[in-house]
Every structure is written in C-alpha cells, then in structure tokens.
Amino acid sequence: MSNFSSQLRASSALIKRLRQNRFPSTSPAAAAAARSFTTTECNRPTIVHKRSLDILHDPWFNKGTAFSMTERDRLDLRGLLPPNVMTSDQQIQRFMADLKRLEVHARDGPADPNALAKWRILNRLHDRNETMYYKVLIDNIEEYAPIVYTPTVGLVCQNYSGLFRRPRGMYFSAEDRGEMMSMVYNWPAEQVDMIVVTDGSRILGLGDLGVHGIGIAVGKLDLYVAAAGINPQRVLPVMIDVGTNNEKLLKDPLYLGLQEHRLDGDEYVEVIDEFMEAVYTRWPNVIVQFEDFQSKWALKLLQRYRNSYRMFNDDVQGTAGVAIAGLLGAVRAQGRPMIDFPKQKIVVAGAGSAGIGVLNTARKTMARMLGNNESAFESARSQFWVVDAKGLITEERENIDPDAQPFARKVNEANRQGLGEGASLVEVVRQVKPDVLLGLSAVGGLFSKEVLEALKESTSTRPAIFAMSNPTNNAECTPDEAFSIVGDNVIFASGSPFRDVDLGNGRVGHCNQGNNMYLFPGIGLGTLLSGSRIVSDGMLQAASECLAAYMTEEEVLNGVIYPSTSRIRDITKEVAAAVVKEAIIEDLAEGYRGVDSRELQRLSQEEIVEYVKNNMWNPDYPTLVYKED
Ligand SMILES: NC(=O)c1ccc[n+]([C@@H]2O[C@H](COP(=O)([O-])OP(=O)(O)OC[C@H]3O[C@@H](n4cnc5c(N)ncnc54)[C@H](O)[C@@H]3O)[C@@H](O)[C@H]2O)c1
Ligand SMILES: O=C(O)C[C@H](O)C(=O)O
Ligand SMILES: [Mg+2]
C-alpha cells in the first residue's frame, strides 16, 4: 500500500492534471537548446559501406528507381536499374496502382477477403525498400493498419509457414541457451531503440502460435515506425522460441519452430533472463516491449523486470491505459464529469493479463478521484464484477488466481444481489444493471443476444460496451449487434476495427477502436526521448490521461471516445510528450543523445512537443555516400 500511496503523492489529482501546464515559461537559452538538439538527422547524408547490387538488395538503403543519376554513378548502380529516374511520389503511384487492383472485387473494411494478398504485396515492398514501405503506410494508415496490424496480422501468424520468405528480426530459442550474449551481435544495427518480444504463447485471441507469433512483433514495430517515427533501422522484432503447446504445430512437418513442449518454471525464466541480459548488454538504452505472453507469465515477468529494465508489457499496461481513457470518455459521453467515474458499475468479462491490467488501473484511478487513501481504494473495489470462464468470481472461488483475488465479490454482498459464485455473465448483467460491459475474454460472441438484452436494463443513461478481444472473430459482439439490441444511444468500442453502423435517418452509430495501438507507440517514444531508466506508473498514467483529454466534448457527446487511426501520428506525438513530461517531473529523465536531464528540465510544454516531433523519423530518402569499411 505504501508504494501505491507514494505514487499517488507523486501525481496530483487526475482532472487537474489533464489540462495543467506545470512548466515554467521558457528562457531564450532553453528555446535555442530545444532547437539545436532537435536537428533532424535526415538532412545529413548517410554513409554506406556497400555499392552496386548490394545496395539494391538492402531494404534499409534501397531507393529503387528513385536513385538519381549522380547517385547511380557514385554507387556503381548505372545500368543496374531502368533508366527513367522516378520521384518517390511516382514510385508510390506505381505501387498503389498494383495494390489497388485487388480492391476491384473486394468489400472494403476489416472483412476484406483480399487482406492477406494485400499483406503479401506490402511485405514484399517492406523487404526491398523500407523507406517507400513506411511512406505508403504512413500516408494510408487508416487503410493499411488493419493489414499490417490487427486483425490481418493474426491471419498472417496463423499462416506463417506458407508466408515466410525473408526472415525479419531475431529468433532466440531454448537451444540457444548460453549463446545469447554473443548471438545478439549478429544483428547488423549498432543502435536499437525498440524491441518488441513475444514467446508466441497467446497471439491476440488465437492462442499458442509458437514461433509463427513473430508476426505480431513485426506488426507492432510497424506502428512504432509509422505512428511514433522510430527509425526503422533501430527496431528489432524478437521471437523467443521455448517450444509450443499447440498440438497441431507439434505435429506439423512444415512448422518453423522447435517441435517440443514449452519450457516452464525456472527453466523458462532462465531463458528470458538470458535474453534480457544479452540485449541490454549490447544496447543498454533499448526499450523492450513484452507482447502476447500468456497471462500465466505476463504479469510475473513484468514484476520481475520493471524496476530494473526499461520495459513494459503492452497487453497489461498499454491496454489498461487505453481502456481507462475510453471509460472516462464513456462517462463524459453521458454528459457527466469525469470525476463521476468512481460511481460507474463495471462488469468485466475476462480475468487474464489484459483484464487484470484494466481492473487494477481502473481501481487505482477511481481511488485517486475518491481521495487517494486506503478507504478510497477499498471502496473502489466494489464497483467491479469480474466474470471469467467459471462465471462470477467471489471469495468462495476455490484456488482463486491471486491476481484476481482483490476483485472477488464478497459472498454476502453477492447474495444480497441475488448472485453467487460462478453466476453466469447474463445473470450478473441482469442483477447489476452495469454502466459498462467490458470484454477481454477472447471469446467471440460472448456478449450474446441474451446478455445484450439484459444490458438494456442498465441504470445508465448511456451504457457502454467494450468488446476488446482480438482479432475480429473474437470480438465479444459486433457494433451492429450492440446498436440494434441495446439501442442507438450505446457507446461502443472494439479491439479490432469495424465499420460504423447506419442507424437510419442520417444518424451513425460510431464504432471506436479501443486498441492499445493508441498508447504503446507513444509510451515507447516518450521513454526513449526522456531517457528514463524505467517506465513508471506515473508515465503510463500520463499517457492514458493524454489520450482521454485528446477527445473534445463534442466528439465524446457524439459517441466518439477514441481518435480515428488517421490521427495516430499526432496522438502518438502528444502521448510521447506527456510521457517525457512526467519522466521529468518524477526526476527520471536522464536525457537522450546530446540532450541532458538539465536541458530537458528547462523545456516548456510546447518545446517538449516540438522536441518529440523533431525526433520522429520521416520516410524521406537520404543522400547516400559510399565509404570503404
Ligand atoms: N483491445 C486491446 O487493445 C487488447 C489488448 C490486450 C488484449 N486484448 C485481447 O484480450 C483477449 C484476452 O487476452 P488475455 O491475455 O487476457 O487472455 P487470457 O486467455 O489470459 O484471458 C482470457 C480470460 O477470459 C476468461 N474467459 C474465457 N471464457 C470466458 C467466458 N465464457 N466468459 C467470461 N470469461 C471467459 C478466461 O477465464 C480468462 O480469465 C485477447 O483476445 C486479446 O486479443 C485486446
Ligand atoms: O495486438 C492488438 O491488436 C492488441 C493487443 O495487443 C492484443 O493482444 O490483442
Ligand atoms: Mg497484444
């Protein structure tokens, strides 16, 4: 508890913080410093140590037909390319014409039957010319995020053995024990800023996909580049292959990973420890994002590493922040102030790492609003009803998961509501009449007609449904079902993208995408640019509050509680700036590159945003200059 209280002391009241500018006005010297250390790197030529075909086959440096004639001469490329020098815009037009051919017979949107074919075309571009790939992605993020990221990335992981062409990222397997410290030097980049690592044990809601889960790390890092502007030469997707418990993969002769059951217990932890030591030895400043580890390990590994390494778990912490921002938006959408959040009755279906992450953070947020003390923390507990595969969790539950224990309903209290241990979701919704129904269960269709009918009796003027499980088929319900059964007034968010619903008479039922993509890129970028050695609770809270405050009053009243993906680069910049600010306030910011902590302290709020913006990579071709090794 004392730890919690000190976090609370470190941060002032939620509402106040949302709009507060706690930074002193800037001195001319600080402003000049901000300008000088934000010079972008892309103006400088890039030195390369290869020429000729080696350049064309290197996606980091290849420009294809956009190599100018002088550059072709300088790099021994004359005659190796068609003679017409193209601009990068012309290249993109040519590429897009090819990509769009697939759309002639396609329904657009998430159920696009050509999604996998589009992924292949984009992946081939990624393999041969990274700059152009990210330009296409950034300029068309709304259209292609669902291809390179959720939901198509799930399909890619499921079909990875057939789709695999060139490797991307690094694989550390149980067979590599004792070798990782040297293996890590096989990666060609001297500098790595961001690693996304998975062990493939719980990919989206698709279960254990073993080594094929590498696709999720690649997809997350695509967003790091596209949304956060992390330099693509400084990202590293990692798969830790400790085996798989997926019986189909164990028997599949075409499976690409270790065909043995997963390591467990101390043996498992030793592998992850060795990996962490190796990557932090080579790249002491790297940030490691843990992704799609099964819940059994996700929370334990987070506790193990979070105070000693610069790391976070996206499914636990990123998801929690996105959910809180959405929950606060849902309160505002009812025409009530955010401070009413502690009055919300919330039913959560799913008590895995994602559900528990949301519950812990929501409870702390309520407690802060209620007065930041133990009794506030205790009273916040009673706002949650948690249902897992065995039904309502009460204190009567045998062998209760210690992480779910704090949310078990007291038996007397549950009985008074006509509920008992293991009560079904529909019974719970009927009796509780919640304001919010939030799903992180990975069970598609869990919010059945019966459950949604029961939600019609909600005591809220505007009930909210968060069907957050991924990919599309795992969503607890669709927006069509939500609006048609519960009513036009409902607030709806889903983890995977769905189309808005036509409610007739020109009215639209808005489908929000409640996905951790709105936070993890900004958390990573903000941590990087602040130089904080850890990712603190305060930094995560600042990220979440920034997302909550991003939506205007008018938007939330119209049921829009998350921004559209087309704004993801802007929201990520703001989130990163909020994270940098919080790191400065908490005295965690040690600086980044030429910028030391004192210089960071002197920056005004606007300058921090500028600092972040100027350090975001843009997909422009640099001039290449050859030098011998
Ligand atoms: N939208 C997002 O940003 C986001 C972020 C993280 C995770 N997720 C999604 O959340 C889902 C869960 O992730 P996790 O790591 O917590 O998984 P998990 O498998 O560890 O947890 C699933 C939980 O759901 C419960 N459950 C299963 N069947 C149920 C039922 N019939 N009724 C109620 N509860 C039931 C299980 O008992 C368990 O507690 C996945 O689909 C994942 O894609 C979404
Ligand atoms: O990957 C996503 O789309 C969100 C989340 O991290 C998940 O595991 O479902
Ligand atoms: Mg995930």
Side-chain angles (χ1 to χ4, degrees):
M1 199 61 203
S2 62
N3 190 19
F4 174 59
S5 310
S6 66
Q7 281 161 19
L8 291 176
R9 270 197 306 278
S11 53
S12 50
L14 179 73
I15 299 300
K16 253 182 164 173
R17 293 180 38 146
L18 289 177
R19 306 248 176 222
Q20 208 175 16
N21 177 353
R22 287 160 295 185
F23 292 84
S25 60
T26 322
S27 67
R35 276 194 302 279
S36 69
F37 45 64
T38 55
T39 309
T40 49
E41 287 167 40
C42 53
N43 304 332
R44 292 187 210 133
T46 296
I47 307 295
V48 286
H49 302 291
K50 49 178 79 169
R51 283 188 290 203
S52 188
L53 279 180
D54 290 343
I55 284 270
L56 296 183
H57 292 165
D58 187 331
W60 282 1
F61 303 117
N62 186 24
K63 303 182 189 177
T65 52
F67 278 111
S68 66
M69 287 319 277
T70 47
E71 224 167 14
R72 290 179 194 205
D73 281 339
R74 204 163 58 227
L75 298 170
D76 293 350
L77 289 171
R78 195 176 272 260
L80 298 182
L81 287 160
N84 191 1
V85 175
M86 301 226 159
T87 63
S88 69
D89 283 351
Q90 285 173 313
Q91 284 185 305
I92 292 197
Q93 273 173 33
R94 211 158 32 87
F95 175 78
M96 294 302 282
D98 187 32
L99 186 55
K100 294 278 177 185
R101 265 187 317 115
L102 285 171
E103 284 174 18
V104 178
H105 303 293
R107 287 176 290 143
D108 59 10
D112 185 345
N114 291 320
L116 216 44
K118 289 183 187 174
W119 180 87
R120 278 178 202 261
I121 295 186
L122 286 164
N123 186 52
R124 284 203 296 267
L125 178 60
H126 198 175
D127 280 345
R128 59 178 191 272
N129 182 335
E130 285 211 333
T131 312
M132 186 172 158
Y133 171 73
Y134 285 111
K135 188 156 175 54
V136 169
L137 192 54
I138 289 168
D139 290 349
N140 303 277
I141 190 74
E142 203 167 1
E143 193 170 356
Y144 296 128
I147 304 294
V148 303
Y149 182 66
T150 306
T152 309
V153 70
L155 202 56
V156 169
C157 293
Q158 286 175 305
N159 294 282
Y160 204 70
S161 86
L163 291 169
F164 177 82
R165 292 290 178 276
R166 287 199 198 180
R168 184 178 300 287
M170 286 194 81
Y171 296 83
F172 295 86
S173 92
E175 307 276 283
D176 298 319
R177 276 174 277 184
E179 300 292 330
M180 294 185 198
M181 196 59 94
S182 55
M183 273 170 75
V184 80
Y185 287 89
N186 290 343
W187 187 249
E190 282 306 319
Q191 175 71 45
V192 172
D193 292 338
M194 210 52 236
I195 288 176
V196 175
V197 60
T198 183
D199 68 355
S201 55
R202 189 287 273 151
I203 297 298
L204 304 173
L206 302 169
D208 182 346
L209 298 185
V211 80
H212 295 170
I214 182 93
I216 199 75
V218 173
K220 293 271 171 185
L221 285 165
D222 272 348
L223 288 194
Y224 266 109
V225 178
I230 301 283
N231 185 325
Q233 296 183 15
R234 298 203 203 125
V235 301
L236 172 57
V238 171
M239 159 56 60
I240 301 188
D241 183 0
V242 291
T244 177
N245 292 342
N246 180 328
E247 292 304 322
K248 228 172 113 198
L249 295 178
L250 285 169
K251 292 190 199 111
D252 180 356
L254 302 180
Y255 177 56
L256 294 167
L258 287 187
Q259 285 189 301
E260 51 196 52
H261 282 103
R262 282 184 178 277
L263 289 185
D264 204 358
D266 290 345
E267 272 193 308
Y268 173 78
V269 177
E270 280 162 22
V271 171
I272 313 290
D273 278 354
E274 187 180 337
F275 159 76
M276 291 295 270
E277 233 181 286
V279 293
Y280 281 97
T281 300
R282 177 156 189 213
W283 300 295
N285 297 322
V286 72
I287 300 158
V288 178
Q289 170 169 322
F290 276 59
E291 191 65 49
D292 289 8
F293 281 71
Q294 58 183 319
S295 295
K296 172 177 169 186
W297 286 112
L299 292 153
K300 285 196 185 80
L301 294 176
L302 179 61
Q303 289 319 323
R304 186 174 181 84
Y305 300 128
R306 71 169 303 194
N307 294 323
S308 42
Y309 289 116
R310 226 177 185 200
M311 60 78 67
F312 68 101
N313 181 302
D314 178 40
D315 297 291
V316 179
Q317 297 165 298
T319 311
V322 164
I324 300 307
L327 289 168
L328 294 175
V331 178
R332 290 167 75 199
Q334 294 167 23
R336 298 163 70 177
M338 277 193 265
I339 203 82
D340 276 0
F341 180 49
K343 294 184 191 145
Q344 299 278 290
K345 291 177 289 178
I346 302 177
V347 171
V348 175
S353 62
I356 293 294
V358 171
L359 284 159
N360 282 328
T361 309
R363 182 180 181 183
K364 284 182 192 173
T365 305
M366 285 187 181
R368 268 196 302 277
M369 290 177 168
L370 290 169
N372 275 356
N373 51 39
E374 272 196 49
S375 82
F377 189 64
E378 189 43 41
S379 101
R381 188 195 60 84
S382 62
Q383 298 307 114
F384 303 97
W385 287 259
V386 185
V387 178
D388 71 357
K390 295 181 183 151
L392 178 68
I393 302 181
T394 68
E395 287 178 343
E396 249 173 18
R397 172 75 59 102
E398 278 171 24
N399 300 323
I400 189 165
D401 174 356
D403 294 312
Q405 165 75 52
F407 298 95
R409 299 297 301 189
K410 296 197 190 316
V411 176
N412 289 345
E413 190 187 78
N415 289 346
R416 270 201 305 279
Q417 277 188 309
L419 294 169
E421 164 58 37
S424 69
L425 180 62
V426 66
E427 279 177 79
V428 173
V429 174
R430 248 183 225 134
Q431 299 302 328
V432 175
K433 306 183 197 313
D435 299 272
V436 178
L437 177 58
L438 187 149
L440 281 162
S441 65
V443 180
L446 180 67
F447 299 167
S448 60
K449 188 163 184 290
E450 244 188 326
V451 170
L452 294 176
E453 292 280 0
L455 190 64
K456 277 166 84 170
E457 304 306 315
S458 160
T459 46
S460 168
T461 52
R462 211 169 176 188
I465 299 172
F466 290 77
M468 292 183 77
S469 292
N470 295 315
T472 316
N473 283 343
N474 292 62
E476 282 79 4
C477 69
T478 65
D480 284 282
E481 290 161 348
F483 286 102
S484 66
I485 300 174
V486 188
D488 292 356
N489 208 22
V490 76
I491 299 292
F492 183 86
S494 54
S496 299
F498 282 88
R499 266 169 284 177
D500 289 345
V501 177
D502 181 356
L503 300 175
N505 298 328
R507 288 167 318 129
V508 171
H510 193 80
C511 180
N512 296 279
Q513 192 174 356
N515 189 295
N516 50 29
M517 72 202 269
Y518 286 116
L519 285 190
F520 72 77
I523 294 170
L525 179 64
T527 304
L528 177 76
L529 297 182
S530 70
S532 173
R533 306 309 307 169
I534 57 160
V535 182
S536 72
D537 278 346
M539 287 157 69
L540 296 163
Q541 188 192 320
S544 173
E545 290 170 7
C546 173
L547 179 60
Y550 193 77
M551 306 311 296
T552 64
E553 209 58 28
E554 194 189 340
E555 284 169 324
V556 289
L557 289 174
N558 282 327
V560 182
I561 56 169
Y562 293 113
S564 121
T565 38
S566 61
R567 288 154 82 187
I568 197 163
R569 212 167 153 96
D570 186 59
I571 178 67
T572 299
K573 176 193 71 192
E574 298 291 333
V575 168
V579 170
V580 171
K581 271 193 275 172
E582 183 61 28
I584 296 170
I585 291 168
E586 291 183 27
D587 219 4
L588 291 168
E590 294 185 6
Y592 170 73
R593 302 195 154 193
V595 186
D596 67 23
S597 58
R598 271 170 315 158
E599 284 166 312
L600 281 180
Q601 297 271 5
R602 283 201 293 268
L603 295 184
S604 70
Q605 184 152 7
E606 293 70 30
E607 284 168 340
I608 292 176
V609 176
E610 199 59 17
Y611 165 63
V612 170
K613 189 171 154 215
N614 289 340
N615 276 289
M616 288 167 77
W617 176 87
N618 288 304
D620 301 319
Y621 291 131
T623 300
L624 298 186
V625 173
Y626 172 76
K627 261 206 182 148
E628 267 180 70
D629 264 335

